[in-house]
Amino acid sequence: MQDSPFSPVPGSCFVTGTGTDVGKTVVAAALVAALGADYWKPVQSGTDELPAGDAGTVARLAALGEDRLVPTVYAFKAPLSPDQAAAREQVTIDLSSLTLPRRERPLVVEGAGGILVPLSRRHTMVHLMARLLLPVVVVAPSGLGTINHTLLTLEGLRHRNLPVAGVIFSGPPHPDNAESVARLGAVRVLGTLPRLDPLTPAALAQAAQALDLSPLIDPPTRGFAEF
């Protein structure tokens, strides 16, 4: 249940994925740029390989200053699930320490991996999502296999009655896959963010203009957005 005594600025959202390396951070950067939002990565692992973390990538792609980044609460060196990376450093992630910060702008929060990635022996990423209670944007690869993975993710969110704004696909457009997910998942598809080469702030900002952000401006309070 959300602890925060205030309502977040419209446009705020929690970005999750159907798995690891599905384009979640690039989509988060696109949302930050399009919404004029601040960014928060509450839990980061793999800083040995990415010293600035996903926050550094988003700051570069969305041209953010330090004042637009909410500091990461837990950062771990090993490129493992957060619970395993934390255990290597003899740290336990305390969910009660992850509280929605008050911001004057919309806030894009990026999770780690998918919704059932473990944060501790008792909690997974979906418990954090339920705590913050922001509209959820699911990022999914656009190609073969995505229908099953995306529908399973949506089923997990629906089971917990979390507010889902919609799905954004990452990769080449596959309209049939998008239609199947929208129909079978009873969810709005907010668009497809293609692979950009080169991936520059200008190219990303332009691509983000094609996304449907209306469910974030007028978000669902529970369950799935109407479409």
Side-chain angles (χ1 to χ4, degrees), residues 24-90:
K24 185 165 71 313
T25 299
V26 175
V27 169
L31 292 173
V32 166
L35 294 163
D38 294 345
Y39 172 84
W40 185 32
K41 178 84 172 187
V43 180
Q44 174 77 61
S45 56
T47 59
D48 265 349
E49 298 178 355
L50 191 67
D54 291 331
T57 300
V58 171
R60 175 177 59 84
L61 291 176
L64 298 185
E66 286 293 326
D67 62 315
R68 301 281 297 279
L69 303 174
V70 179
T72 296
V73 179
Y74 293 99
F76 306 110
K77 296 178 180 179
L80 302 170
S81 63
D83 65 324
Q84 294 179 21
R88 287 199 176 190
E89 300 182 31
Q90 299 182 329

Side-chain angles (χ1 to χ4, degrees), residues 91-107:
V91 173
T92 298
I93 295 174
D94 179 4
L95 206 64
S96 67
S97 67
L98 301 175
T99 301
L100 191 67
R102 184 187 294 270
R103 308 294 284 189
E104 295 182 357
R105 299 182 181 88
L107 180 64

Side-chain angles (χ1 to χ4, degrees), residues 114-188:
I115 67 171
L116 294 182
V117 166
L119 294 172
S120 67
R121 292 180 65 87
R122 295 181 53 227
H123 297 120
T124 65
M125 191 59 62
V126 78
H127 291 100
L128 175 59
M129 297 160 71
R131 177 175 173 80
L132 302 181
L133 209 58
L134 292 173
V136 178
V137 174
V138 176
V139 180
S142 60
L144 184 65
T146 196
I147 296 173
N148 180 64
H149 294 159
T150 308
L151 293 178
L152 284 172
T153 297
L154 294 172
E155 188 70 21
L157 295 169
R158 176 182 283 115
H159 178 69
R160 293 160 179 85
N161 204 28
L162 289 171
V164 176
V167 175
I168 295 177
F169 289 101
S170 175
H174 284 275
D176 289 344
N177 287 347
E179 189 280 329
S180 293
V181 166
R183 173 170 42 84
L184 296 171
V187 70
R188 180 176 290 184

